[in-house]
Amino acid sequence: MSYKQSNNHQESDILIVDDTPGNLHLLSRILRKKGYQVREAIDGKTALEEVNNKLPDLILLDIMMPDIDGYTVCNQLKSDPNTAEVPIIFLSALDDIFDKVKAFESGGVDYISKPFQFQEVLIRVKNQLTLRRTQQQLQILNTQLEARVEQRTKELEIANSKLRDMAFRDELTNLPNRALFLERLADGIDIKQQYPNYQFVVLLLDCDRFKMINESLGHSVGDQLLVAISKRLKSLLKPEDTLARLGGDEFAIMVNKIEDMAEAKTIAQKVIDSFSHPFVLPNQEVFINVSIGISLSHLDYQKPEHILRDADTAMYRAKDLGKGQYHIFDPSMHHHVSEKLQLENDLRRAITNNEFLVYYQPIIHLKTGKIAGFEALIRWQHPTKKLIPPVLFIPIAEETGLINAIGYLVLKSACEQFRSWQENKLINDSMFISVNVSARQFANMELSQQIQQILEATKLDPHCLKLEITESAIMDNPKTAVAILEGFKSQNVRLSIDDFGTGYSSLSYLHNFQVDTLKIDKSFVQRMDNNGSSCGLVPVIVNIAKTMKMGVIAEGVETPEQLSLLRSLECEFAQGYLFSPPLPESSLLDLISGNLTW
Ligand code: C2E
Ligand code: CA
Ligand code: CA
């Protein structure tokens, strides 16, 4: 039979303290026999030394001892944090004046009376050792748990700060994003409320024709460009200003502590000027413009979104005014915005009720002085307003996509009316009808089908129909433009480039497309007679048209001088108030029947 009861016993180190050697040895023997390691101490002093040498797992401590008694030993051990945890079982002879309460108060965990009953000693020792071991294990587990909790907390903190960073950063440019920008604006608003003299300004930047770059050069070049733009903008700002990318090609700048609007204008101009240099990308140089909307801090601003909204309104106004400019928000623009919404609703209704009229302006063949064709120009007969000119609703129709439905209505009525003039022999067979097609309409895949359907329904010779498309409509759709234009060609429909000279004037694309006519923008025509000796771009465009075997129309002819200059330049066609303004059908028919020659 093994004298060891369990492995635990072997590890357990028991210190027995008793001034009676007989007791000491007896107890030692019993416990050793049970497999415990046992140390002996004959008095209190030795006991304390033993404990300090090596912590026992358990102490059996006699109370009545000379010099230092058991209570004192116990008190000392319990008051030292290094030894306080060692459990102590008191030993007391029956004839001792043994105070159980005092024993527990001084920190003992149990007591055993002498003379010993061996079984009792063994059970009490075993219980205390088990308790102690359990406590120690618990302690280890606790420490491990604490360490793990601490580790997890750290990890969580790191993850949190990463998440926060991600939530507030634009990944591509590493600039603050909209959320962070709004926070900075909110801080600015708070400061402004406390110190009303403090001023900041918001510049909202939107790249002009960024979509075209993405489509023609690819998205990765688009991304490179955005990064290059962000670097250039950053270099123009002070460290305390905030530059953010709000999304897409939209950036925002918050300039802190500015003196007045003049300072804001200077910054905006600096930004615009900085865009006059190309952005150098790994494989190419790219030019791009920005439009900027500016809004200045104001005590009325309660929410950051409102400042941004106003800068946005101003930015769109800047775009309307011709891109590559800045515009400062003024509160009357709110009115403009709600008016715009109203107009949009009205436009939807106008489509359902077909409130549109088509006016016609004659186009004159300059050699014969006779009408060669007509341009269809839309007007809107709003039920409660005066006749609304297209400049007031075509841009909104473009923005909202309503232009597709409106464009269809114009095409259909222009073709139907023109066909009925033909059928009634009011006009001769060589005349043509020109219809304007906007950029968005041009990009719409259904346009060609719509034209086909109208041509079939009216039995109009496709050759009589000319589509007027601006250069920018073509350049806005660089990928699809060729296919779309070829589609029209195969339908036998003719094409005019409208407002020629105001857009890209990049002549290279003319080779790619079979264009029939160039329309010289009226701004060039009208600048002609300011300086009779030089006719500006007009002769150049007339020559381009001739070289490329295209027709050429000068639009906006208002004076006899312009007319004679155009004749001397051998410009083929002309159109303008000098001949006739755009007219409703009935007045036009009167004009035609007059058979005038100019
Ligand atoms: P646009 O295509 O350049 O049309 C010529 C504009 O010049 C017309 O303005 C015409 O009335 C005006 N005009 C004609 N002769 C003279 C002149 O001697 N002097 C001056 N100062 N102006 C002259 P309107 O009719 O107000 O149309 C403005 C613009 O609206 C058009 O410019 C065109 O871009 C657009 N538009 C008109 N009708 C339609 C349409 O049915 N569809 C689309 N998508 N756009 C249209
Ligand atoms: Ca036109
Ligand atoms: Ca035009």
Side-chain angles (χ1 to χ4, degrees), residues 361 375-379 389-391 394 403 406-407 410 435-438 441 468 470 498-499 519 521-522 526 555-558 575-578 580-582:
Q361 187 176 32
E375 177 176 6
L377 292 157
I378 192 174
R379 270 93 187 99
V391 282
I394 293 286
I403 191 68
I406 296 174
V410 176
V435 181
N436 291 285
V437 170
S438 79
Q441 226 183 325
E468 294 195 4
T470 61
D498 208 353
D499 305 340
K519 281 191 91 165
D521 191 64
K522 53 179 168 286
Q526 286 165 359
E555 63 175 19
V557 181
E558 291 180 357
Q575 175 185 358
Y577 296 161
L578 178 68
S580 164

Side-chain angles (χ1 to χ4, degrees), residues 549-577:
K549 302 207 163 38
M550 290 188 274
V552 60
I553 304 176
E555 63 175 19
V557 181
E558 291 180 357
T559 66
E561 291 77 21
Q562 289 165 351
L563 174 60
S564 64
L565 275 171
L566 290 166
R567 279 210 159 104
S568 68
L569 292 170
E570 294 183 7
C571 178
E572 199 180 0
F573 300 101
Q575 175 185 358
Y577 296 161

